Amino acid sequence: MTNYFNYSEAELLKLNAVHTAKEIEQQKNIWKILFQNIVGNNELISFLTPILNDNNHQIILTGAGSSAFLGQALAPLIKNETQRDIVAISTTDIVAGPTHYLSIDKPTLLVSFGRSGNSPESVAAIKLADQVCHNLHHLIIVCNPESELANYAKSNNKAQLVVMPEGTNDQSFAMTSSFSSMMLCAGLLLSNKLIKGGIICDASKNLVAQQLVNLSAALDSINMLTIKKLAASKFKRYVVLGANGYKGLAEEAALKLLELTAGQVATRHDSALGLRHGPKFMVDNETLILQFISNNAYARRYDLDLMHELKSNNIAANHIVLTSSQIANNEVLDVINQLPEDSKGRLYRNEEVFQVADLSCDFFGLWAYLYFAQVFALETSLALGNTPDNPCPTGEVNRVVKGVVIYPYSE
């Protein structure tokens, strides 16, 4: 019998959580398959090379919901590394106002993400982009090869389709392996980590492969008992903090817990600097804070300043701090797991949980932090007695969005 996160498959079936747990745990294997698929796809490299070598091209990362947040996580990190003109704009914004976000004449690569590939806004956004933009190419990254997005790519000679490995079209409500695999695919393709000058050299390939090995080791070392204890601490509010690319990741982490708890926990995301400008009022003695610390020396100073401030305020019920640092290759993720309890059995306020992984930059830290946030959301959902695979059985919120009317657009 398969075992996921110390639960048997039978237990998870009873809890209506088997898909969510399986799809979180399988990710490190999916990433390795995806990496091999990318390095062997010469057609994909040939499609991207002239676009990436043209400094006049704008790259827009787009999707709805979680598929938008993965673009928001990637765009700042890729721009900082490559100096390419890259932005993240959600399909929900593009559909509501195409010319507010799309350039008529600027050469544009629209990178569309979709788990189902059938969300009404995702399909409408690519059609609107074709209608508005005069110099447009599409990179369409999906988990469902039979989707509307996939079929659109197959019929458009200015589009390149990339289908994620089997198993990424998550059966659970929340996006987990679909999110991480699409983010990894776009990140490797659009940054300078893999493709340089139109080729994938052995040095680049070996470096990325080693980072994925380090990442898997880090994930295998997470202390599940600590996560379970924090998840069961009966917090009512959840604030996730991160700067630059980690702010986009913070939005995804906040949404994941909101989804899996069906709104029983109020969530918010922000940056270290942004929290002080009003949102800090959300922090009270029933709040759990999850803070992503940057490995960028400049951004890290602001993150650590806020970490110390929140500790000195002594208001939040718990404060989890995740940090990725450059450490030796033989060291893996370490979690401080001795969390003292007060007389009521709650964890002491502001007890930091540090996670340190052998990941050399914020880019690969995205997947370590994401995995922790996904597992934490799953365990919180279970602690509240919710059903993670289908947190809204009454149907007001759906796995694939329903009820959206797309109106004709006139330029």
Side-chain angles (χ1 to χ4, degrees):
M1 180 64 71
T2 306
N3 188 286
Y4 302 107
F5 307 122
N6 300 321
Y7 296 98
S8 70
E9 189 167 338
E11 288 174 311
L12 289 170
L13 281 168
K14 186 176 181 180
L15 295 167
N16 199 358
V18 68
H19 290 304
T20 309
K22 177 182 177 181
E23 288 157 4
I24 293 173
E25 187 173 291
Q26 73 180 2
Q27 291 175 104
K28 52 185 178 289
N29 294 324
I30 293 287
W31 301 337
K32 293 174 185 176
I33 296 169
L34 174 61
F35 170 67
Q36 293 301 326
N37 290 349
I38 290 174
V39 298
N41 194 332
N42 294 326
E43 178 184 337
L44 175 59
I45 308 304
S46 297
F47 171 83
L48 285 174
T49 296
I51 296 172
L52 298 181
N53 288 342
D54 180 4
N55 292 331
N56 292 320
H57 255 85
Q58 181 185 48
I59 301 172
I60 298 176
L61 308 181
T62 192
S66 289
S67 294
F69 304 154
L70 73 89
Q72 291 168 14
L74 286 174
L77 297 177
I78 294 175
K79 182 176 181 63
N80 183 59
E81 179 185 338
T82 67
Q83 293 306 300
R84 292 191 175 111
D85 181 4
I86 182 167
V87 293
I89 305 169
S90 69
T91 57
T92 50
D93 288 334
I94 291 173
V95 169
T99 55
H100 290 76
Y101 302 101
L102 301 175
S103 174
I104 294 174
D105 296 316
K106 189 175 182 65
T108 300
L109 174 67
L110 187 69
V111 184
S112 299
F113 303 104
R115 173 175 64 173
S116 73
N118 294 321
S119 294
E121 301 97 333
S122 297
V123 176
I126 59 174
K127 295 179 179 179
L128 284 167
D130 277 337
Q131 183 179 346
V132 169
C133 303
H134 296 165
N135 190 346
L136 179 71
H137 287 82
H138 294 277
L139 176 62
I140 296 179
I141 301 175
V142 295
C143 302
N144 177 7
E146 306 303 323
S147 62
E148 290 189 59
L149 282 182
N151 291 334
Y152 189 87
K154 295 170 188 175
S155 64
N156 188 326
N157 60 10
K158 289 190 173 182
Q160 178 69 40
L161 174 66
V162 188
V163 179
M164 296 299 93
E166 185 177 352
T168 57
N169 187 12
D170 304 320
Q171 298 305 297
S172 59
F173 178 93
M175 288 178 63
T176 53
S177 59
S178 54
F179 181 98
S180 69
S181 60
M182 290 191 292
M183 184 166 69
L184 181 62
C185 178
L188 292 180
L189 292 174
L190 301 176
S191 70
N192 288 334
K193 292 198 163 39
L194 196 58
I195 304 173
K196 297 180 180 178
I199 63 170
I200 299 176
C201 65
D202 287 341
S204 297
K205 186 166 63 175
N206 293 340
L207 182 59
V208 172
Q210 184 58 53
Q211 289 286 8
L212 292 177
V213 169
N214 295 341
L215 181 59
S216 293
L219 303 188
D220 288 339
S221 301
I222 289 178
N223 187 302
M224 292 304 302
L225 292 178
T226 301
I227 292 182
K228 289 177 187 292
K229 198 167 191 178
L230 287 162
S233 61
K234 299 182 179 180
F235 57 96
K236 299 290 181 63
R237 299 180 178 188
Y238 180 58
V239 177
V240 191
L241 304 171
N244 305 319
Y246 287 163
K247 186 179 180 186
L249 193 68
E251 187 162 11
E252 167 62 12
L255 175 66
K256 209 53 47 198
L257 193 130
L258 183 71
E259 288 177 329
L260 293 185
T261 64
Q264 292 182 59
V265 177
T267 69
R268 182 181 176 89
H269 81 282
D270 217 313
S271 66
L273 290 173
L275 185 73
R276 297 182 180 93
H277 291 264
K280 196 176 178 184
F281 275 120
M282 190 169 176
V283 179
D284 63 13
N285 61 6
E286 292 185 308
T287 302
L288 186 145
I289 298 171
L290 176 62
Q291 186 177 5
F292 301 144
I293 303 294
S294 176
N295 204 43
N296 175 281
Y298 184 74
R300 189 180 182 89
R301 296 166 77 175
Y302 292 107
D303 292 339
L304 295 177
D305 281 352
L306 182 66
M307 183 192 78
H308 294 304
E309 179 179 320
L310 291 169
K311 184 175 180 67
S312 66
N313 291 159
N314 197 29
I315 297 174
N318 284 293
H319 182 184
I320 307 172
V321 179
L322 307 189
T323 178
S324 172
S325 301
Q326 297 181 28
I327 58 175
N329 287 338
N330 61 345
E331 294 182 276
V332 294
L333 183 143
D334 176 45
V335 180
I336 297 174
N337 57 18
Q338 299 300 318
L339 300 179
E341 296 180 352
D342 64 15
S343 59
K344 296 182 180 180
R346 299 175 305 184
L347 301 179
Y348 277 147
R349 291 178 183 171
N350 299 316
E351 194 70 33
E352 288 89 28
V353 179
F354 294 93
Q355 298 198 347
V356 183
D358 180 20
L359 301 167
S360 61
C361 62
D362 280 352
F363 179 84
F364 286 102
L366 285 171
W367 288 270
Y369 291 0
L370 172 67
Y371 187 85
F372 181 97
Q374 290 173 343
V375 174
F376 185 69
L378 170 62
E379 289 293 348
T380 303
S381 178
L382 292 172
L384 290 172
N386 210 26
T387 54
D389 284 352
N390 186 16
C392 187
T394 51
E396 290 86 0
V397 186
N398 302 284
R399 178 181 177 274
V400 180
V401 167
K402 299 178 181 179
V404 179
V405 178
I406 302 297
Y407 298 101
Y409 176 73
S410 298
E411 296 182 49

